[in-house]
Amino acid sequence: MKGTSLFRLFFAICLAIATTSAWAGVRNGNGEEILLQGFHWNSSRNPVPWYSVLAQQAATIGNDGFTLIWMPPPWTDSSQWNTPTAAGGGEGYFWNSFDKNSRYGSDQQLKQTVLALNNAGVKVVFDVVPNHMSDKAVYSMFPRGTNEWRQDCMQCDEGDAFMDGAADLNTANPAVFEAFKNEFINLRENYGAQGLRFDFVRGYAPETVDRWMNAFSNQQFCVGENWKAPNEYPQDDWRHNASWQDVLKDWSDRSHCTVFDFALKERMQNGSLAEWRHGLNGNPDPAWRAISVTFVDNHDTGYSPGAYGGQHHWALPDPLINMAYAYILSSPGTPTVYWPHMYDWQRDRLIRQLIRLRKSAGIRADSPIRFNTAYSGLVATTSGARGTLVIALKSDLQQLPQGLGTPALSWDNGDIRIWSNPVELATVAVNVHCDNANPQPGERVLAAGSSLEFGAWDPQHALALTLANGRWNATVNLPAQQHIEWKCIVRGQVPGAVYWQTGANNSFISGAVNDAVGRF
Ligand code: 7SA
Ligand code: CA
């Protein structure tokens, strides 16, 4: 075999491996994205065509700091439906064809709007709905009787049915897969798509999404809407007894796309402020934080201006909304802002400041976050590439360690406080011990000291130790190279009842030692 053809064969094999090899990372853009949901449930019924509204607002959207905008489904949808309590149709989720003349505006207006947004520095993510389409479309793109519809081959459907499944497509069918693959490439080539939001991903396989993204482009942003509670999985499916986090991480590992953080949404809806730490974006493992797309509400869960107030399937109670934005914009994950909160209902003054603080600290989707659970409410420290944010929500954090001056942002009578600090070094773990402690029944052993983690010398918020193998200790995560002064204390149930270790303070440099020992 001549040299050149041997080389060509070798090159062809390398190319085949490169294109079919699984995408190693997660497609979360550049890791510092801030997403705007660029529509609400009634946008397709807006008196002014929605694409014109977006084009006029494009410069503001860019100046407000958004890097991505989640556009509504671009495909024409002539459906209409009503129930005793709601009505709708035409929003793009029951589409007829890939025609881009929709209730949001014309094909031409769509192209002009994307151009205006790109000129404002905002990349466009299209909402796509491959699970189903209107089965009422007379000239359907997919012929019947050839296993392309779930109705023709139930077991061919890779996932759940939308409603009764009459409109479900079989996405694993080669003709169906190719049609969507070519349309996604068309959206990239001719409509400026630089990311995709996959609708109703419970309806098809995550691996199919990965194959579509390999063709669309691996470097772009993709997010899956996997809104399915663990108890909605069959009893014999491991996910039935898993956490929301585990279910979402599994989908992301198989699709290599980010996921809307319904684990955080569920905690915001049902948990206390302190329990907001159990979102995907608060996970100790950066690989879990990197896949999270955090949000407060969207066009399904929240209220929308206009008819029926939108859908509001799972709306966050109003008193929590500002704190929820303060949390998602100062913590890891890729934060999403819902259009009406920003541009209809005057939360923009707060949100604009939060975005500015996030950007100045260089918070990334996978940035480290530490929760100071000794305080009430929620207190956390997020370490960005260019600085650190300390956030306190409805907290009794009053006594501040040195260096933590006045908050960079205080809102809602101090329910929201955010400090912006100089860059903080990587965090290190230190084992803290208090020896010769013999607390009486009901008394606790703690370490009070100079940093937030040690309660800033406040016994009520000091670091609680536990007894293990006959020794009182606690492991605490701290920024490296911090000079920490501290003492062991025994605290009774009565607030004033505190017994301090006598003598000089204990002290250590975090990162220089693994153990810090104090003794009574
Ligand atoms: O209840 C809220 C939560 O409470 C919490 O306490 C719970 C949560 O688990 C719990 O812990 O969340 C539950 O409820 C959610 C909302 O229903 C569920 C979630 O899984 C469940 O856990 O979320 C599901 O519904 C969302 C709306 C979907 C989620 O992916 C899905 O998981 N969101 C996306 C999907 C679609 C559909 O593409 C969009 O739906 C959303 O905007 C998008 O974000 O001939 C065909 C045909 C027949 O098959 C039907 O039988 C017939 O009825 C046509 C007719 N279908 C019509 C529908 O009945 C009608 O509702 C269809 C043509 O139009 C409407 O469908 C709308 C849909 O209502 C609307 O939300 C659809 C198409 O226009 O567009 C939107
Ligand atoms: Ca399906």
Side-chain angles (χ1 to χ4, degrees), residues 32-36 65-68 329 334-335 355 358-359:
E32 267 187 64
E33 307 289 359
I34 301 179
L35 181 63
L36 170 69
F66 295 104
T67 62
L68 293 174
L329 286 164
T334 298
I355 291 175
R358 179 184 186 85
K359 285 187 170 248

Side-chain angles (χ1 to χ4, degrees), residues 237-307:
D237 183 313
W238 68 270
R239 290 166 292 189
H240 185 83
N241 298 306
S243 66
W244 286 76
Q245 277 201 41
D246 286 331
V247 169
L248 292 167
K249 180 69 166 51
D250 170 65
W251 187 85
S252 175
D253 284 349
R254 293 161 57 196
S255 62
H256 302 104
C257 289
T258 62
V259 277
F260 285 112
D261 194 337
F262 278 98
L264 177 58
K265 176 61 173 172
E266 191 280 329
R267 287 292 76 204
M268 286 182 164
Q269 296 291 133
N270 300 327
S272 67
L273 279 176
E275 289 167 321
W276 289 10
R277 60 180 298 190
H278 297 304
L280 261 181
N281 75 315
N283 192 287
D285 182 338
W288 292 58
R289 299 194 294 269
I291 68 165
S292 161
V293 175
T294 52
F295 69 100
V296 174
D297 264 319
N298 63 31
H299 65 294
D300 290 332
T301 63
Y303 285 88
S304 297

Side-chain angles (χ1 to χ4, degrees), residues 105-337:
S106 71
D107 185 305
Q108 199 48 36
Q109 281 172 325
L110 174 56
K111 287 182 175 171
Q112 285 157 358
T113 298
V114 172
L115 216 54
L117 288 160
N118 290 169
N119 291 341
V122 185
K123 296 176 286 201
V124 159
V125 175
F126 280 109
D127 196 330
V128 290
V129 189
N131 180 71
H132 50 267
M133 67 177 287
S134 170
D135 58 330
K136 310 286 184 285
V138 178
Y139 304 107
S140 164
M141 302 154 47
F142 303 105
R144 288 288 185 180
T146 55
N147 290 357
E148 297 180 9
W149 291 81
R150 179 187 166 102
Q151 291 294 76
D152 300 327
C153 172
M154 190 84 79
Q155 70 278 12
C156 299
D157 190 346
E158 305 180 291
D160 294 349
F162 172 60
M163 310 299 286
D164 63 3
D168 272 51
L169 294 163
N170 287 329
T171 37
N173 176 290
V176 177
F177 179 86
E178 282 302 306
F180 284 110
K181 185 191 90 174
N182 295 331
E183 170 61 7
F184 297 154
I185 291 169
N186 174 42
L187 288 173
R188 180 194 69 202
E189 292 301 305
N190 303 308
Y191 293 86
Q194 290 182 277
L196 297 174
R197 177 262 186 187
F198 285 91
D199 176 74
F200 199 82
V201 295
R202 59 189 291 172
Y204 42 100
E207 289 79 5
T208 303
V209 174
D210 190 36
R211 287 198 296 130
W212 276 324
M213 285 308 292
N214 284 332
F216 174 78
S217 153
N218 276 324
Q219 275 62 44
Q220 303 297 8
F221 181 84
C222 59
V223 57
E225 184 227 13
N226 194 24
W227 187 3
K228 184 171 178 178
N231 64 19
E232 292 183 77
Y233 289 89
Q235 292 273 2
D236 59 351
D237 183 313
W238 68 270
R239 290 166 292 189
H240 185 83
N241 298 306
S243 66
W244 286 76
Q245 277 201 41
D246 286 331
V247 169
L248 292 167
K249 180 69 166 51
D250 170 65
W251 187 85
S252 175
D253 284 349
R254 293 161 57 196
S255 62
H256 302 104
C257 289
T258 62
V259 277
F260 285 112
D261 194 337
F262 278 98
L264 177 58
K265 176 61 173 172
E266 191 280 329
R267 287 292 76 204
M268 286 182 164
Q269 296 291 133
N270 300 327
S272 67
L273 279 176
E275 289 167 321
W276 289 10
R277 60 180 298 190
H278 297 304
L280 261 181
N281 75 315
N283 192 287
D285 182 338
W288 292 58
R289 299 194 294 269
I291 68 165
S292 161
V293 175
T294 52
F295 69 100
V296 174
D297 264 319
N298 63 31
H299 65 294
D300 290 332
T301 63
Y303 285 88
S304 297
Y308 304 97
Q311 300 185 91
H312 48 85
H313 288 308
W314 205 14
L316 190 69
D318 194 82
L320 295 177
I321 294 177
N322 281 348
M323 286 195 286
Y325 276 115
Y327 180 59
I328 69 169
L329 286 164
S330 60
S331 64
T334 298
T336 310
V337 174

